[in-house]
Amino acid sequence: MKFIIQRDQLMDSVQDVMKAISSRTTIPILTGIKLEAHADGVKLTGSDSDISIESFIPKEEEGIVYIEQIEPGSIVIQAKYFPDIVRKLPQNTVEIEADEHLKVTIRSGNSEFHLNGQDADEYPQLPKLHTEDSFELPTDLLKNLIKQTVFAVSTVETRPILTGVNMKVANKELDFVATDSHRLASRKIPLTEETENIAFSSVVIPGKSLIELNKILEDTQENVEISVTENQILFRTKNLYFLSRLLDGNYPETSRLIPDQSKTIVYGNTKELLQSIDRASLLAKENRNNVVRFQTKTDNQLEISSNSPEVGNVVEEVTAKSIDGEELKISFSAKYMMDALKAIESDQVKIEFTGAMRPFIIRPIDNDQVLQLILPVRTY
Amino acid sequence: MKFIIQRDQLMDSVQDVMKAISSRTTIPILTGIKLEAHADGVKLTGSDSDISIESFIPKEEEGIVYIEQIEPGSIVIQAKYFPDIVRKLPQNTVEIEADEHLKVTIRSGNSEFHLNGQDADEYPQLPKLHTEDSFELPTDLLKNLIKQTVFAVSTVETRPILTGVNMKVANKELDFVATDSHRLASRKIPLTEETENIAFSSVVIPGKSLIELNKILEDTQENVEISVTENQILFRTKNLYFLSRLLDGNYPETSRLIPDQSKTIVYGNTKELLQSIDRASLLAKENRNNVVRFQTKTDNQLEISSNSPEVGNVVEEVTAKSIDGEELKISFSAKYMMDALKAIESDQVKIEFTGAMRPFIIRPIDNDQVLQLILPVRTY
């Protein structure tokens, strides 16, 4: 195997596949990056067996030549050293060569590295998914669906299914839902002609996979192709192939958690609320999981406060756009509320309460696609 | 105590005095920041008893009003919460008030914090140093003296005196020296009329103090006033007072470590050498303390290399400007050499060797004020 490649393109691909590589894997060869040189380009693969990422660098794209003098072949290189080596090479042209003894030579300018490689035949084969029942989403929309939900997955393994995001199709909508049983985040999009014949009904994608996927995907309007099988999901763009296992088990039915009526509705400025809650929680960091109190007052005033007897207390006054319905005193986790408000992505927010002990809902004022639900904390 | 202050000025001062505050102090009140309101401004103090920092915010400076409605008094506020509170306050105008029960109220916009303060009378008094035998240095020069030497202090406590930088006066020069016994960094400046009657001859300043001082000092040409007593040193600018204890004991005589002749002299480009050594050390991270081999070749060629049998090897070719004298093969710590080359602050560097087992010297090509010395490692 041999090729001469542009360092910057190689570096981008190395960084992408590194997202799948864990030094704690039980399969030693998975601590490496697989390099495959083909006539049309070079493919890099990284995997921790939960997530597998392939990044393809074409020989030439839009008239720009990225790779020259390709002699096909493949090798596995230690991922511990390779990214630093590529980053620090002295010139933008890099020659990579592997011989029959699995010795890899990397040359750039007056710099020459010799590394011990491993046999690419020993690298696990990634499953090739059927792509017939696939659908497409614009990349920036998929990134938003992930960003608005994935933070709410559970981080404890007591109910493993809750560490994933539930992607499901119902009522001609595609719905992403995550919950850790204290809060819930949901984002729906209507199915289009292109997506309405999706073959699956409900799968659960590990939150960790989606977090890594979101780091790699660029914020473009180009489509991502999504294919689902019984136990795997594949996200594919022109040069990227991101495969994740799915979580086993049934995701809980979450729709009945969502109250269908409300007793108090608050309309307010998202950023003002976010900043006030942030400040109100500053002294509560060590007490009761960051709990703040939220109270309606007359004249559209809200009071957000917290009290940590040893340290002191904070009182924030916020002027709401309007407060309708019953008076309310409620306590909740400042962290959950801040996560929810950040995911709203709208200047104005609508918060619907059904009493101090019932879950409440946060939505953008102008659309119903995003829904954030938080369970209050009993303090009054 | 009461005053209304501009948040940005307060934030700068809080960040400065925080550099002296440690949460691991054995004196509980030192986990706080002392605030003193005087008729002419507000003074903040932080201390871990090794380092004490006072930052003064004048009521008014160059026609700009920073503080209004001052009612003199003082209080100690928990440093754990105060910086975050100040940073996140909603408006640039902040009112701070302390009552006779040591309750502190911080108001900004619709935000109000109540904190439990501590009695400022219980805060240790900082010693007032005599400033008669003080001298002055431009701030940017002092910062350079520190930066070019402090990295070479010892980080282990086996010889505590080596954890400091030796500041001494000899031969009408002011000399900063640091060594961890494997390498030495020195920067000299000639005494000027203003500095030639410095009263002290040699003191040792804790490296940690100088590192914190360098974070606080701005890169200006304004003077820093330096005062030395038997066991303390004070650095003073217009609004800053930085006091550090000195280290007890005699600093070793380092001048006889420095070879006065050489057998091989290499002239080269600082950045090229630095980057080649960086790359050559990439595979050596876990082996023998990052050791690389350095070898002269014909035609002004240098070879820098390292070998880690399990991982692979690296060979870097560097073209020197010139190589004079005997052939040389030597091994040294890549980290020490990179630290030294970064401290040179000159495009071209002169390296003087006296054989493979003797310390060697790195200097800028164009001045003798900076000297870096490294002990080689025996590998050949």
Side-chain angles (χ1 to χ4, degrees):
Chain A
M1 184 198 78
K2 185 178 168 183
F3 55 86
I4 296 174
I5 192 164
Q6 294 299 298
R7 183 190 53 197
D8 296 349
Q9 269 60 41
L10 179 60
M11 195 67 234
D12 286 348
S13 281
V14 168
Q15 282 173 331
D16 283 352
V17 302
M18 283 299 289
K19 301 276 192 303
I21 296 175
S22 159
S23 56
R24 287 170 300 166
T25 176
T26 52
I27 307 169
I29 201 162
L30 292 186
T31 60
I33 294 177
K34 183 165 76 163
L35 267 68
E36 290 170 83
H38 301 283
D40 59 342
V42 169
K43 189 162 79 178
L44 281 73
T45 306
S47 176
D48 67 356
S49 73
D50 281 348
I51 303 174
S52 300
I53 303 172
E54 286 180 5
S55 175
F56 183 74
I57 308 165
K59 189 178 170 183
E60 189 180 333
E61 197 172 50
E62 291 169 4
I64 302 167
V65 175
Y66 292 130
I67 314 176
E68 292 177 295
Q69 300 181 29
I70 299 178
E71 294 174 14
S74 58
I75 191 81
V76 176
I77 300 186
Q78 272 305 307
K80 187 171 179 183
Y81 303 99
F82 194 54
D84 265 353
I85 292 173
V86 174
R87 184 179 303 112
K88 293 186 171 176
L89 286 173
Q91 296 193 356
N92 198 29
T93 302
V94 181
E95 182 184 315
I96 298 183
E97 187 174 359
D99 69 15
E100 65 271 32
H101 305 295
L102 307 175
K103 296 287 174 200
V104 184
T105 301
I106 304 169
R107 285 187 202 90
S108 178
N110 289 318
S111 181
E112 187 168 309
F113 287 78
H114 300 272
L115 298 175
N116 303 324
Q118 286 178 276
D119 189 347
D121 291 341
E122 290 172 19
Y123 197 89
Q125 283 291 325
L126 301 192
K128 292 294 159 201
L129 293 195
H130 296 284
T131 53
E132 289 159 24
D133 43 340
S134 66
F135 65 100
E136 298 197 348
L137 287 178
T139 308
D140 49 4
L141 179 59
L142 174 63
K143 280 177 77 78
N144 248 12
L145 283 161
I146 295 171
K147 202 172 69 175
Q148 294 182 315
T149 53
V150 75
F151 63 86
V153 300
S154 171
T155 53
V156 293
E157 288 287 340
T158 45
R159 287 182 70 190
I161 196 81
L162 295 187
T163 62
V165 173
N166 183 208
M167 177 172 80
K168 64 184 174 186
V169 174
N171 305 323
K172 297 206 167 183
E173 289 179 316
L174 178 69
D175 192 4
F176 276 48
V177 180
T179 179
D180 59 7
S181 78
H182 302 291
R183 51 149 164 201
L184 177 146
S186 152
R187 167 78 198 267
K188 288 185 168 79
I189 54 166
L191 292 179
T192 60
E193 268 180 44
E194 289 164 24
T195 49
E196 71 181 354
N197 49 3
I198 296 179
F200 72 93
S201 63
S202 172
V203 295
V204 185
I205 311 162
K208 182 175 174 300
S209 300
L210 292 175
I211 289 167
E212 297 304 331
L213 177 64
N214 237 15
K215 289 180 192 160
I216 296 175
L217 290 178
E218 283 174 43
D219 216 352
T220 69
Q221 292 175 6
E222 281 177 41
N223 275 353
V224 182
E225 185 188 278
I226 304 172
S227 314
V228 175
T229 66
E230 210 172 311
N231 52 16
Q232 307 240 43
I233 185 164
L234 172 66
F235 299 89
R236 197 159 75 168
T237 66
K238 197 170 48 179
N239 293 321
L240 186 80
Y241 179 104
F242 185 105
L243 186 74
S244 168
R245 73 179 172 98
L246 294 171
L247 292 177
D248 271 342
N250 291 318
Y251 200 80
E253 182 50 58
T254 53
S255 57
R256 65 194 159 75
L257 294 177
I258 298 162
D260 51 8
Q261 52 186 5
S262 59
K263 294 183 178 166
T264 314
I265 303 182
V266 174
Y267 292 86
N269 180 290
T270 314
K271 196 173 158 193
E272 270 181 40
L273 277 165
L274 181 62
Q275 292 179 341
S276 289
I277 290 165
D278 188 7
R279 284 191 296 270
S281 71
L282 281 176
L283 303 185
K285 274 177 182 159
E286 284 152 42
N287 289 347
R288 293 181 312 195
N289 194 25
N290 238 349
V291 172
V292 295
R293 276 175 295 187
F294 181 101
Q295 197 174 340
T296 59
K297 302 264 181 177
T298 52
D299 294 331
N300 291 333
Q301 292 299 301
L302 296 169
E303 184 182 287
I304 301 164
S305 61
S306 82
N307 185 21
S308 303
E310 286 181 18
V311 187
N313 65 70
V314 195
V315 180
E316 293 279 331
E317 301 286 345
V318 180
T319 305
K321 207 174 154 202
S322 75
I323 301 174
D324 301 331
E326 296 179 4
E327 273 182 36
L328 177 80
K329 284 186 184 182
I330 193 169
S331 295
F332 49 75
S333 153
K335 179 178 184 308
Y336 290 170
M337 188 63 169
M338 287 163 67
D339 285 345
L341 290 169
K342 284 176 196 162
I344 287 297
E345 295 193 345
S346 168
D347 290 347
Q348 299 291 326
V349 73
K350 175 184 177 184
I351 314 178
E352 295 170 81
F353 299 92
T354 330
M357 297 318 302
R358 300 296 309 279
F360 60 94
I361 292 173
I362 307 117
R363 289 182 198 269
I365 210 164
D366 47 7
N367 85 62
D368 279 351
Q369 293 188 357
V370 183
L371 179 146
Q372 303 286 338
L373 175 142
I374 295 172
L375 269 69
V377 174
R378 188 190 299 262
T379 57
Y380 283 103
Chain B
M1 184 197 76
K2 184 178 169 183
F3 54 88
I4 296 173
I5 192 164
Q6 295 299 296
R7 185 189 52 198
D8 297 349
Q9 268 60 43
L10 179 61
M11 194 67 235
D12 286 348
S13 282
V14 169
Q15 282 172 331
D16 283 352
V17 302
M18 282 300 288
K19 301 277 193 301
I21 296 175
S22 160
S23 56
R24 286 171 300 167
T25 176
T26 52
I27 307 169
I29 201 162
L30 292 186
T31 60
I33 294 178
K34 183 165 76 163
L35 266 69
E36 290 169 82
H38 299 283
D40 58 343
V42 170
K43 188 162 80 179
L44 281 73
T45 306
S47 175
D48 67 356
S49 72
D50 281 348
I51 302 174
S52 300
I53 303 173
E54 285 180 4
S55 175
F56 183 74
I57 308 166
K59 189 177 171 184
E60 188 180 335
E61 197 172 51
E62 291 167 7
I64 303 166
V65 175
Y66 293 129
I67 314 175
E68 293 177 294
Q69 299 182 30
I70 300 178
E71 294 175 13
S74 58
I75 191 82
V76 176
I77 300 185
Q78 272 304 306
K80 186 171 179 182
Y81 302 99
F82 194 54
D84 266 353
I85 293 172
V86 175
R87 183 180 304 110
K88 294 185 171 177
L89 286 173
Q91 297 194 356
N92 198 29
T93 303
V94 181
E95 181 184 316
I96 298 183
E97 187 174 359
D99 68 15
E100 66 270 31
H101 305 296
L102 307 174
K103 297 287 173 199
V104 184
T105 301
I106 304 169
R107 285 187 201 92
S108 178
N110 289 318
S111 181
E112 186 168 310
F113 287 78
H114 300 272
L115 299 175
N116 303 325
Q118 286 178 275
D119 189 348
D121 290 342
E122 289 171 18
Y123 198 89
Q125 283 290 325
L126 300 193
K128 294 294 160 202
L129 293 195
H130 297 285
T131 52
E132 288 159 25
D133 43 343
S134 65
F135 65 101
E136 298 197 351
L137 288 178
T139 308
D140 49 2
L141 179 60
L142 174 63
K143 280 177 76 79
N144 248 13
L145 284 159
I146 295 171
K147 204 173 68 178
Q148 293 180 316
T149 53
V150 75
F151 64 86
V153 301
S154 171
T155 53
V156 293
E157 288 286 340
T158 45
R159 286 182 70 189
I161 196 80
L162 296 187
T163 63
V165 173
N166 182 208
M167 178 173 80
K168 64 184 173 185
V169 175
N171 307 323
K172 295 206 170 181
E173 288 177 317
L174 178 70
D175 192 3
F176 276 50
V177 180
T179 179
D180 59 7
S181 77
H182 302 290
R183 51 150 163 200
L184 177 147
S186 152
R187 168 79 199 266
K188 288 185 168 78
I189 53 166
L191 292 179
T192 59
E193 267 181 42
E194 288 165 24
T195 48
E196 71 182 354
N197 49 3
I198 295 179
F200 73 93
S201 63
S202 172
V203 295
V204 185
I205 312 162
K208 183 176 175 297
S209 299
L210 292 175
I211 289 167
E212 297 304 332
L213 176 64
N214 238 14
K215 289 181 193 160
I216 297 176
L217 289 178
E218 283 174 46
D219 215 352
T220 68
Q221 292 176 7
E222 281 178 41
N223 275 352
V224 182
E225 184 189 279
I226 304 172
S227 315
V228 175
T229 65
E230 209 173 312
N231 51 16
Q232 308 240 41
I233 185 165
L234 171 66
F235 299 89
R236 197 160 75 168
T237 66
K238 197 170 46 177
N239 292 322
L240 186 79
Y241 179 103
F242 186 105
L243 186 75
S244 168
R245 73 179 173 100
L246 293 171
L247 291 176
D248 270 342
N250 291 319
Y251 200 80
E253 182 49 59
T254 53
S255 57
R256 63 193 161 75
L257 294 176
I258 298 162
D260 51 8
Q261 51 186 5
S262 59
K263 294 182 178 166
T264 313
I265 304 182
V266 173
Y267 292 86
N269 180 289
T270 314
K271 196 174 158 193
E272 272 181 39
L273 277 165
L274 181 62
Q275 292 179 341
S276 290
I277 290 166
D278 188 9
R279 283 190 297 270
S281 71
L282 281 177
L283 303 185
K285 276 180 181 156
E286 284 153 40
N287 290 347
R288 292 181 312 196
N289 196 23
N290 240 347
V291 172
V292 296
R293 277 175 294 186
F294 181 101
Q295 198 174 338
T296 58
K297 304 265 182 178
T298 52
D299 295 331
N300 290 335
Q301 293 299 300
L302 296 168
E303 184 182 288
I304 300 163
S305 62
S306 81
N307 185 22
S308 304
E310 286 181 19
V311 186
N313 65 70
V314 196
V315 180
E316 293 279 332
E317 301 286 345
V318 180
T319 305
K321 207 175 155 201
S322 76
I323 302 175
D324 300 333
E326 296 179 5
E327 273 183 34
L328 177 80
K329 284 185 183 183
I330 193 169
S331 295
F332 49 75
S333 153
K335 181 181 184 305
Y336 290 171
M337 188 63 168
M338 288 163 66
D339 284 347
L341 289 169
K342 284 177 195 160
I344 288 296
E345 296 194 343
S346 167
D347 291 347
Q348 301 290 326
V349 73
K350 176 184 178 184
I351 314 179
E352 296 171 79
F353 299 93
T354 331
M357 297 317 302
R358 300 294 310 278
F360 59 95
I361 292 173
I362 307 117
R363 288 183 199 269
I365 209 164
D366 47 7
N367 84 63
D368 279 350
Q369 292 189 357
V370 183
L371 179 146
Q372 303 286 336
L373 175 141
I374 295 173
L375 269 69
V377 175
R378 189 190 298 261
T379 57
Y380 283 103

